[in-house]
Amino acid sequence: MHFTSVSDVGDVNALVEAALALKKAPLAFQHLGKNKTLGLIFLNPSLRTRLSTQKAAQNLGMQVMTVNADKDSWALEFQDGVVMDGVTVEHIRDAAPVLGAYCDILGVRCFPKLASKEEDYSEHIMRQFMRFAGKPYLSLESATLHPLQSLADAVTLAEHRPAHRPRVVLSWAPHIKPLPQAVANSFAEWMNRLEVELVITHPEGYELDPRFAGRARIEHDQQKALEGADFVYVKNWSSYADYGKILCRDSAWMLTENHLKHSNRARVMHCLPVRRNVELSDEVLDGPRGLVQAQAENRVFAAQAVLKQMLENDR
Ligand code: AN0
Ligand code: CP
């Protein structure tokens, strides 16, 4: 079993319930990962994904090995047939089977380069790790998706769910750097599989790939979108159409208390790391609406539910 997107999950609600059960009894399956090794390969930085996945694996009795491939291993080459007389030292065809030999499950974080839409959206790097390592693959955020984050978000929503079908608004926020679409794509893809009303609000030109936006209602007027919202998920992403570009720097899109006055006492979410007072105001983050710490805590149980399923399926 691989875990790269919501498509790898049969029953999303059951996986959310499994994560909530593990939260109540995190050490109940300590035997399951005995003598199993999880490899975590980071081609990009991480705080939460690294530590929550490690903690999840330890809760299941697994051993964990981590490589910061952007810093402390050889620079990897992903193109076939190149003469390697430049900066890259080792080809993925040689490195990935080594990792596969050392690990039972391989987790990889590989952000998009945001230069070529075709290359990023083909998940070129992820697919090569999967192909040449030959072991179950756990996405720690790929070029286009961040499924462990989205599962933790779904768990957090389930914990704070109102009695009615909630209105969930994904609200674009400004940022000083061009960021991947992965968190937004992934959140939309998972929400499309749950009993929620999904609204996405962003400036013109920030439309997500329709494959991920699915049945979401797109509303360019942020105030209108936020009316009656039960949950607001704040995130920046760079343009998909004008690939990797920043098209809007309007600070009016930063979510503040004032934006939420016509919401349904909305709770506010963000995957972190957040640029305070650029994407989201201090008052929202530090006030009673904020759910960001709950989301971060739930990353452990999301990862644990997925690892548990992977270990059980590959027994
Ligand atoms: C990354 C992103 O937007 O995909 C990771 C988020 C979990 N964020 C930044 O690079 C700031
Ligand atoms: N939310 C998240 O994935 O955080 P990190 O980039 O710190 O792992």
Side-chain angles (χ1 to χ4, degrees):
M1 174 198 172
H2 299 300
F3 183 76
T4 64
S5 90
V6 77
S7 311
D8 293 323
V9 180
D11 183 339
V12 175
N13 285 309
L15 190 59
V16 169
E17 289 307 318
L20 287 168
L22 287 165
K23 189 169 182 173
K24 289 204 187 99
L27 302 180
F29 297 90
Q30 279 251 298
H31 60 281
L32 196 60
K34 192 169 185 290
N35 300 327
K36 298 281 181 183
T37 301
L38 172 67
L40 299 176
I41 314 300
F42 287 89
L43 276 66
N44 318 93
S46 168
L47 177 74
R48 277 145 293 271
T49 304
R50 166 193 310 256
L51 297 176
S52 63
T53 309
Q54 181 169 343
K55 173 110 181 152
Q58 286 166 353
N59 283 349
L60 293 168
M62 298 184 83
Q63 310 278 340
V64 183
M65 303 193 298
T66 302
V67 179
N68 303 311
D70 57 333
K71 296 184 193 76
D72 52 28
S73 79
W74 304 115
L76 291 172
E77 178 61 57
F78 292 93
Q79 299 299 337
D80 271 336
V82 290
V83 178
M84 286 176 54
D85 58 358
V87 291
T88 57
V89 182
E90 176 160 31
H91 203 281
I92 188 67
R93 284 179 177 265
D94 303 311
V98 175
L99 299 169
Y102 298 163
C103 303
D104 300 286
I105 297 176
L106 191 64
V108 179
R109 167 166 281 198
C110 50
F111 284 0
K113 298 201 177 69
L114 295 178
S116 157
K117 180 191 287 190
E118 289 64 38
E119 186 172 319
D120 290 344
Y121 274 68
S122 76
E123 293 286 9
H124 173 65
I125 294 178
M126 178 177 90
R127 283 190 298 106
Q128 291 194 73
F129 272 105
M130 291 174 86
R131 177 173 167 206
F132 297 120
K135 285 289 162 76
Y137 181 98
L138 174 66
S139 170
L140 307 175
E141 187 171 344
S142 69
T144 67
L145 292 169
H146 193 359
L148 283 176
Q149 179 66 49
S150 308
L151 174 56
D153 299 335
V155 170
T156 310
L157 279 169
E159 286 179 315
H160 295 89
R161 192 185 175 84
H164 58 271
R165 182 169 178 254
R167 177 176 293 185
V168 178
V169 181
L170 170 59
S171 186
W172 181 90
H175 203 282
I176 60 159
K177 290 189 172 168
L179 298 191
Q181 295 96 34
V183 171
N185 283 342
S186 194
F187 183 73
E189 164 173 276
W190 282 69
M191 289 304 114
N192 271 294
R193 292 273 298 266
L194 293 173
E195 268 305 303
V196 306
E197 178 194 346
L198 178 63
V199 181
I200 306 180
T201 183
H202 54 67
E204 305 260 359
Y206 279 94
E207 287 69 21
L208 296 171
D209 182 339
R211 281 178 299 168
F212 302 120
R215 60 179 168 79
R217 176 162 70 82
I218 312 300
E219 172 58 70
H220 290 119
D221 181 334
Q222 190 189 26
Q223 259 322 307
K224 232 187 239 170
L226 294 171
E227 276 169 28
D230 295 293
F231 297 94
V232 182
Y233 199 96
V234 179
K235 184 71 184 85
N236 169 267
W237 62 89
S238 61
S239 174
Y240 173 69
D242 194 355
Y243 193 66
K245 296 288 185 311
I246 296 178
L247 307 178
C248 173
R249 295 177 189 277
D250 183 358
S251 63
W253 279 88
M254 173 177 83
L255 198 88
T256 66
E257 274 297 320
N258 193 40
H259 286 75
L260 297 168
K261 52 181 187 274
H262 300 302
S263 73
N264 187 25
R265 289 181 292 160
R267 304 301 300 268
V268 175
M269 303 173 72
H270 189 288
C271 64
L272 302 179
V274 66
R275 296 246 178 185
R276 281 177 174 250
N277 305 312
V278 175
E279 297 174 81
L280 247 167
S281 68
D282 281 338
E283 47 171 3
V284 175
L285 274 165
D286 299 331
R289 298 179 185 279
L291 283 178
V292 297
Q293 291 302 328
Q295 289 171 266
E297 186 188 351
N298 285 331
R299 289 294 305 271
V300 175
F301 311 106
Q304 201 174 332
V306 171
L307 284 170
K308 176 172 176 282
Q309 218 172 69
M310 292 177 93
L311 289 167
E312 286 168 347
N313 283 358
D314 292 305
R315 259 195 304 203

